[in-house]
Amino acid sequence: MQKGVLSVLLVLLSSAAYAQDTVSVSYSEETDTLVKQRFLDRYENVFMTKVPTRHMFKIGLSQYYQAKVFALSDDRTINSTSLHLGYEFKFLPAFSIALSGHIPYYDLRTPFRESFQNTVLDAQLRWFMSMRSRIRKGKSANNFSGNYLAVFYNMPSTMQDDPRIGLKLGFQRRFLNFGFMDFAIALQQGTPFFHYGAFYNWDLSTQASFGLAFGDWKKAAIGPLCDVFLCDEHLSNQWKIRLPELTLGRYMVRIRTAIAFEQKIGTSPFSVNFQLNADHSDGFNDIRNPESVARFRYVMSRSKEKAVSLSVQPRYYFLSKMQKLRGRGGHGFSGPYTGINTAYMYYKGNHRFFGYTIDHIDRETNSIQAGPLLGYQLRVFRHGYVDCNTSYNFKEYLGNTETDFGFTTNITVGLVF
């Protein structure tokens, strides 16, 4: 019996060994049937770097293009903002001519003719420094999205203000199909053609503009906008730093900037925005006539001023729930909002006048204001933002019975973290 069992086991083992030896393995190659695809870069898709363009009309807002500089105590311009109307023509791949008009905005009580009289006409010859090399490398088409160096001439529409000439270093970007943005630093002379000397009356100033653009380009597919505006990311708070308004010169030194922090309340569409504004101005500017002469509403003064304001704005992003239901975001800080604007402001200034019975005025005020708020904010990629809002406020000066009503508008472009 044992011999029989051993015989069976030997037969099975020998069969298994034979079976392993007879197994054959073969290899083969098959041609890949997938066609190579080019994935569209998000940067070029947003800023239209691959879309050829030779003509571009612009309408939007510009900052710091004013012919007149107003005192901080009576700042008639809203964040130095003007209506921008422009046209740019590309006559060579690396060169363009940009023409524009900048009509300042004052307030509802100021006649429109005063805004029109203070319009600034601007002409620029722009050299897009890296455009040719980018075109050769296939990174760009012949268009207006690039970094540039420009020679410019500014002509105010009134004879009381001097023209300006200078150099400008900046960057311009097309934004999606119908947008543009432009930011530059200008080295400019207030008395052109070196009338008083080559080194007289120069200053350094920031300039910015953004808005809608129309031209000869073909409409391109822009892809998912939430990749641009970060509306799908679950953001709970953000720090914001406004790009500063900066003027450094012999007759004017002005710095205006702001920092803000916005905190979302849970996962709701509500948030609270805290913003601190700091302004400093030292130089010649226009101020409301202290002698109340109807013929001259504003006079020139030599002013030293500083102003600080802290605003707290409860905000409600009223399209957030709808965006979530449609699967189009609503988790971040991009979109229209409404709320309440509350602010405390401190101002201190000294104004010296020339040729008037009043020699100088010292003023120090503390005020509070509050009113309904309406605005629109966009996160652009990971570290950019635009925030525009307006509110109609009741304003009360602390320590006296003076009160006022009026609009307050803020247009801020900057970095976010």
Side-chain angles (χ1 to χ4, degrees):
M1 182 66 180
Q2 292 180 349
K3 292 182 179 181
V5 173
L6 288 174
S7 300
V8 173
L9 289 175
L10 289 173
V11 171
L12 291 174
L13 290 172
S14 62
S15 299
Y18 179 79
Q20 289 179 356
D21 291 341
T22 58
V23 173
S24 61
V25 180
S26 62
Y27 300 91
S28 64
E29 292 184 1
E30 294 184 2
T31 305
D32 188 3
T33 58
L34 293 176
V35 179
K36 290 186 177 180
Q37 298 181 4
R38 176 181 176 273
F39 293 94
L40 188 63
D41 181 72
R42 186 172 60 173
Y43 178 88
E44 70 183 41
N45 193 24
V46 172
F47 296 120
M48 301 296 171
T49 58
K50 293 297 184 68
V51 180
T53 307
R54 292 192 62 198
H55 304 271
M56 183 164 64
F57 294 89
K58 312 172 191 177
I59 178 170
L61 299 175
S62 62
Q63 294 180 294
Y64 329 133
Y65 274 91
Q66 282 66 32
K68 293 183 179 296
V69 178
F70 290 90
L72 297 178
S73 61
D74 189 28
D75 192 355
R76 308 295 284 180
T77 59
I78 298 179
N79 278 354
S80 303
T81 302
S82 300
L83 174 65
H84 178 172
L85 302 174
Y87 168 70
E88 189 168 358
F89 167 67
K90 203 79 173 292
F91 63 92
L92 288 174
F95 291 90
S96 73
I97 294 176
L99 306 174
S100 60
H102 305 268
I103 306 173
Y105 174 82
Y106 296 132
D107 60 16
L108 298 176
R109 295 173 294 182
T110 303
F112 177 75
R113 65 176 181 272
E114 292 194 17
S115 296
F116 187 75
Q117 289 171 355
N118 292 314
T119 295
V120 174
L121 302 178
D122 177 62
Q124 300 180 35
L125 174 62
R126 293 183 170 184
W127 170 43
F128 289 85
M129 298 174 287
S130 60
M131 183 64 71
R132 282 185 175 275
S133 62
R134 288 182 59 85
I135 292 175
R136 285 197 301 267
K137 295 176 182 178
K139 295 181 179 181
S140 178
N142 182 10
N143 53 38
F144 299 103
S145 285
N147 304 328
Y148 65 85
L149 180 67
V151 178
F152 70 91
Y153 178 76
N154 284 352
M155 183 180 68
S157 57
T158 56
M159 297 299 295
Q160 292 87 349
D161 301 297
D162 291 329
R164 291 178 176 268
I165 61 171
L167 298 173
K168 185 179 297 186
L169 179 65
F171 66 88
Q172 179 174 253
R173 298 291 186 271
R174 284 276 316 285
F175 187 71
L176 302 179
N177 280 302
F178 299 109
F180 81 97
M181 59 183 69
D182 193 335
F183 185 82
I185 298 177
L187 178 64
Q188 54 193 6
Q189 188 185 43
T191 50
F193 309 119
F194 316 113
H195 183 75
Y196 296 105
F199 302 101
Y200 178 81
N201 201 17
W202 287 92
D203 63 63
L204 193 69
S205 177
T206 57
Q207 297 175 343
S209 59
F210 55 91
L212 300 177
F214 308 93
D216 57 349
W217 56 83
K218 294 182 179 180
K219 187 176 179 181
I222 58 179
L225 288 180
C226 280
D227 290 345
V228 182
F229 301 138
L230 297 186
C231 50
D232 279 337
E233 293 199 19
H234 293 258
L235 304 175
S236 59
N237 56 62
Q238 60 182 1
W239 285 93
K240 299 177 284 186
I241 301 175
R242 173 192 167 188
L243 293 179
E245 173 188 348
L246 178 67
T247 301
L248 300 176
R250 180 179 179 182
Y251 298 105
M252 173 55 67
V253 175
R254 174 169 286 194
I255 302 174
R256 307 181 71 178
T257 188
I259 184 171
F261 176 75
E262 187 170 4
Q263 176 67 52
K264 179 172 286 190
I265 300 176
T267 58
S268 72
F270 291 92
S271 73
V272 182
N273 187 79
F274 304 88
Q275 181 162 319
L276 178 66
N277 298 280
D279 304 329
H280 170 79
S281 182
D282 186 354
F284 290 91
N285 51 37
D286 283 76
I287 190 172
R288 189 181 295 273
N289 193 338
E291 297 183 342
S292 301
V293 179
R295 182 181 176 187
F296 301 104
R297 295 209 307 158
Y298 290 90
V299 295
M300 180 71 70
S301 72
R302 178 68 166 82
S303 303
K304 293 183 178 181
E305 304 172 281
K306 59 182 178 181
V308 178
S309 66
L310 175 64
S311 65
V312 180
Q313 298 175 345
R315 296 179 174 184
Y316 171 64
Y317 290 84
F318 52 84
L319 294 184
S320 178
K321 291 184 178 180
M322 182 183 300
Q323 291 171 338
K324 290 179 181 179
L325 291 174
R326 294 180 177 180
R328 298 179 179 177
H331 305 287
F333 295 98
S334 289
Y337 61 85
T338 186
I340 299 174
N341 176 64
T342 61
Y344 162 78
M345 288 162 286
Y346 169 78
Y347 168 85
K348 184 177 182 179
N350 172 270
H351 308 277
R352 293 190 174 275
F353 304 92
F354 307 95
Y356 293 86
T357 57
I358 301 176
D359 180 37
H360 71 278
I361 293 177
D362 291 314
R363 188 181 184 190
E364 185 173 2
T365 61
N366 292 273
S367 61
I368 57 174
Q369 66 180 29
L373 173 75
L374 182 65
Y376 194 90
Q377 180 171 254
L378 280 179
R379 283 286 302 270
V380 183
F381 288 135
R382 190 156 299 277
H383 295 299
Y385 85 100
V386 179
D387 189 2
C388 306
N389 61 64
T390 186
S391 58
Y392 187 73
N393 300 280
F394 168 76
K395 187 174 183 179
E396 181 177 356
Y397 292 88
L398 303 178
N400 58 46
T401 58
E402 185 180 355
T403 59
D404 195 9
F405 284 91
F407 283 96
T408 299
T409 298
N410 287 285
I411 301 174
T412 58
V413 180
L415 303 175
V416 63
F417 304 94

